[in-house]
């Protein structure tokens, strides 16, 4: 679709001429995300305030122009690729940390703030914003909220949604809604904060948020634990949590992940083991944290660990986390392409999920590396392949379908922290069921009757429901 | 409205003759809740399964008969009083604990399970279901979820909504929706679990839930801390939390509350003090818990406490909690009636909120007792009065309005854990704003187009929105 000159003129009047981009080079930059998908938008408009977003949406709604809000475009589900064109709306100019409230332990931020920048800012005040997606250094709070992003620390601290206390969002017709606030308890009205969180820009565009902070833990101990058998690593996860210990993280890497990292980084990781866990304990009492990591080490040994090493200092710890974060990139040494999935299963099903994924890998003759947040059942099976080979690409599709089927069959779900976007839409009904999709569509229809907000993402495009 | 004989016959066929109640005595029992409000329903129907609820709703929707789902009717906002008649639907027959999953630490329960019964059942397995509303011994999980109930322990552990991982709900037209599950992370589809939680039976009727459990803390220490000045008690709350300590509870009682309890129970509480705090630390490491209560005691002394006493044993601790739980009932010694409110303010505003409530009390010449969950900013100002005096009753209404205005003015909200029900509806717009109410109505309209589910509760009855 082409956007008519009169509308472009009005958009320029709203945000200023230099914030309306229409050159092919500029449009190209906003045509893709962290996946293989791409599609050129018709226009890129960069708003500088909630009021500007409101004015843009009012105009877009009137003219039924799709609006795809976007942070840094690091999404892994093609949730911000503008299939069908329309206006991409990067919120990056709105990057102010408006307030850090020390007494109430909250931060009020604009959507475009980089998550890492917020963390750094609050840590100066001995406060802590726990959610830590891998993309933390470049993804935005707005994007994190739109996808309800996770990360390793979510085991102890919970996901992004657990830290969103209030939002300012712009509805499809430009109306501005504020919901929630700085109160810890709030049961006044429906929970719009959590309805907007994770809705991937399909119900409204979040422009500001009030985030909960906690006190920054004073002490951290990190252990790297090796296992001859991956099953034992899974058993450790359940044993530690059943003992009443909630570590900050329990990260799993399988043997291929270990080897890839080791080849890339030469850290001395045990390349002959089936799995390692990175387990971190944190807290405010030095002895308490020490007791916790010792108790964890004991349980690891009881559940079959072949070695438990505790990082001696911050440098060693930083290196371990650098290793964990480099799993994704290091896989590039093995194959030209990778496709990372994001299934979540009940914790008890991790061993079975791992077994079935390995079986899928064997059957379809595709290397699948398994790593992820074992403590909360969120696994990232990464399929390695060569996109240039169409036959291989077909097998990749089969592997993805089989991985999703496994997750659902084990009582799990398609996505733990990446969102549905476009890529998981074909599998959505197998997970949530027909009625759930219909109810999603009813709510979408109620809030965005013309369907301009990120159309075709998170839920299938509307077909008129015959039921009501 | 009268329900026609043919419908009554069909309802009897669905649930069985003895579960359709229509005698005046029976109807009377379901005409009130924990407030002054009452209204006779036309019929009481007691379903025994989700399928029966579904069949009842299908029929009710067809005939446009209001359905008021109900647990034990202990609500404090007239949320289950059947104004306008219709069918009251007690879910008490559905009281099965369907599963306690030790590995995944979840409980799957029917809506009618008494919260205390669930807690007792899971504690046998060394597990813990933290939400602890005062009504815990008689209120149901279904009711707790419908109102997103709180309690003292929510300071550390969060409210009911933080423990709801999955729900089975019946929609207005009888369709059954299942949402969420046993996975800790789940971003597949809109967050219906949290949309239904706290929606007070207006969007669907929750018949089953999957609840998150945690490990039961092994050690608990409880301190009772007295203050000459109530302000200092408030300062303590902020000081403790700012030190990175999150006690399980920080409960505040003002001098009137202390005196009333002491008159009723003779526990030796300091009746000459402006406030006491009951602070509890819990955890898995005996030394850690001991260090925590000692650190708390030090902070209390630094912030002006006149005495800090730590309970020596479980009997002393139980007595303190019996005292805290008896604040409400003990107020009956002071006046024939009381009206308990439930405002929630940002923690930093507790001192100002208390000052303003005391000013309201003075100005309107009505005793107002203040107690509540100071740690999370949730206060229960209780107005004492004589309902038989119409002039006094009018002043009570003024006091309620002034208390709500105070909460909103301080960045707080009308309800921390009781819900909006009917009683807070007139104040709703002053808190959440017009647009928020309109969006609630759009969602209500989408999911319950005939408006049969608990009509007139939680949000105002629909007026056609001119905006869309």
């Amino acid at each position: 679709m082409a956007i008519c000159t009169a509308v472009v003129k009005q958009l320029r009047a709203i945000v200023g001429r230099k914030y309306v981009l229409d050159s092919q080079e500029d449009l190209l930059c906003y045509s893709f995300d962290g996946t293989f998908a791409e599609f050129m938008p018709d226009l890129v408009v960069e708003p500088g305030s909630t009021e500007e977003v409101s004015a843009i949406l009012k105009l877009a709604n009137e003219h039924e122009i799709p609006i795809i809000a976007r942070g840094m475009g690091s999404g892994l589900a093609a949730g911000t690729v503008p299939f069908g064109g329309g206006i991409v709306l990067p919120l990056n100019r709105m990057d102010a940390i408006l307030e850090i409230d020390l007494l109430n332990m909250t931060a009020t931020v604009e959507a475009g703030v980089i998550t890492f920048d917020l963390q750094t800012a609050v840590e100066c005040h001995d406060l802590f914003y726990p959610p830590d997606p891998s993309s933390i250094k470049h993804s935005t709070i707005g994007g994190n909220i739109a996808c309800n992003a996770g990360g390793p620390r979510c085991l102890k601290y919970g996901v992004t949604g657990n830290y969103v206390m209030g939002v300012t969002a712009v509805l499809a017709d430009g109306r501005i809604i504020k919901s929630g606030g700085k109160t810890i308890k709030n049961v006044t009205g429906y929970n719009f904060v959590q309805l907007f969180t994770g809705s991937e820009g399909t119900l409204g565009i979040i422009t500001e948020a009030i985030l909960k902070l906690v006190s920054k833990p004073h002490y951290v101990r990190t252990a790297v634990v090796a296992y001859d058998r991956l099953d034992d690593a899974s058993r450790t996860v359940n044993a530690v949590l059943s003992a009443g210990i909630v570590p900050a993280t329990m990260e799993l890497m399988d043997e291929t992940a270990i080897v890839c990292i080791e080849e890339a980084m030469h850290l001395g990781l045990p390349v002959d083991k089936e799995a390692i866990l990175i387990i971190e304990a944190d807290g405010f009492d030095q002895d308490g944290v020490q007791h916790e990591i010792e108790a964890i080490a004991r349980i690891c040994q009881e559940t079959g660990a072949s070695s438990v090493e505790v990082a001696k200092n911050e440098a060693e710890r930083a290196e371990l986390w650098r290793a964990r974060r480099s799993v994704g990139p290091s896989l590039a040494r093995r194959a030209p392409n990778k496709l990372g999935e994001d299934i979540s299963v009940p914790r008890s099903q991790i061993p079975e999920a791992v077994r079935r994924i390995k079986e899928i890998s064997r059957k379809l003759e595709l290397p699948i590396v398994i790593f992820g947040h074992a403590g909360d059942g969120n696994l990232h099976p990464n399929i390695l392949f060569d996109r240039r080979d169409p036959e291989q690409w077909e097998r990749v599709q089969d592997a993805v379908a089989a991985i999703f089927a496994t997750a659902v069959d084990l009582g799990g779900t398609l996505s733990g922290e990446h969102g549905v976007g476009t890529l998981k839409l074909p599998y959505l009904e197998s997970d949530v069921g027909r009625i759930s999709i219909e109810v999603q569509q009813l709510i979408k229809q109620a809030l965005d009757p013309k369907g301009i907000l990120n159309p075709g993402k998170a839920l299938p495009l509307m077909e008129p429901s015959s039921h009501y």
Side-chain angles (χ1 to χ4, degrees), chain A residues 387-461:
Chain A
R387 179 80 203 257
R388 294 162 300 190
D389 177 350
E391 185 274 332
Q392 232 184 84
W393 180 235
E394 209 159 289
R395 272 185 288 137
V396 171
Q397 303 307 313
D398 292 345
V400 167
I403 289 170
F404 287 152
T406 297
V408 171
D409 187 48
L410 296 176
T413 185
L414 306 180
S415 181
E417 53 187 24
H418 296 172
V420 171
T422 314
L423 299 187
K424 290 174 196 166
L425 267 190
Y427 308 97
L428 186 60
E429 187 170 336
S430 74
D431 180 347
V432 303
R434 187 68 223 152
I435 294 173
S436 195
I437 290 179
E438 284 173 13
V439 175
Q440 285 193 66
Q441 288 180 323
L442 287 171
I443 290 175
K444 168 76 174 171
Q445 171 79 36
L447 296 195
D448 178 17
K450 293 183 178 175
I452 66 160
L453 293 175
N454 211 5
K457 311 294 170 56
L459 73 166
L461 286 171

Side-chain angles (χ1 to χ4, degrees), chain A residues 114-194:
Chain A
I114 302 286
T115 307
F116 183 76
D117 293 345
L118 171 68
Q119 290 188 336
T120 311
V122 305
E123 289 185 21
C124 295
H125 301 282
D126 219 20
L127 291 169
F128 194 51
Y129 175 73
D132 58 345
S134 298
S135 57
I136 192 166
K137 290 210 174 164
H138 50 277
S139 64
T140 64
I141 288 290
N144 289 183
I145 297 175
C147 295
N148 198 1
R153 288 199 294 239
C154 297
L155 169 57
K156 176 169 179 174
Y157 291 100
V159 294
T160 299
N162 297 115
Y163 292 84
V164 188
M165 299 176 74
V167 294
T168 300
V170 182
L171 300 175
D173 64 359
R175 286 189 293 176
I176 298 167
I177 182 170
K178 283 172 191 269
S179 205
K182 286 187 184 178
T183 55
I184 293 168
K185 286 179 179 169
N186 186 335
V187 293
T188 311
Y190 296 159
N191 192 340
F192 290 143
V193 172
Q194 296 306 324

Side-chain angles (χ1 to χ4, degrees), chain A residues 24-32 40 70:
Chain A
Q24 288 300 299
E25 306 86 292
D26 282 330
L27 298 183
L28 186 65
C29 295
Y30 294 93
S31 67
F32 60 90
M40 289 288 268
R70 192 184 123 121

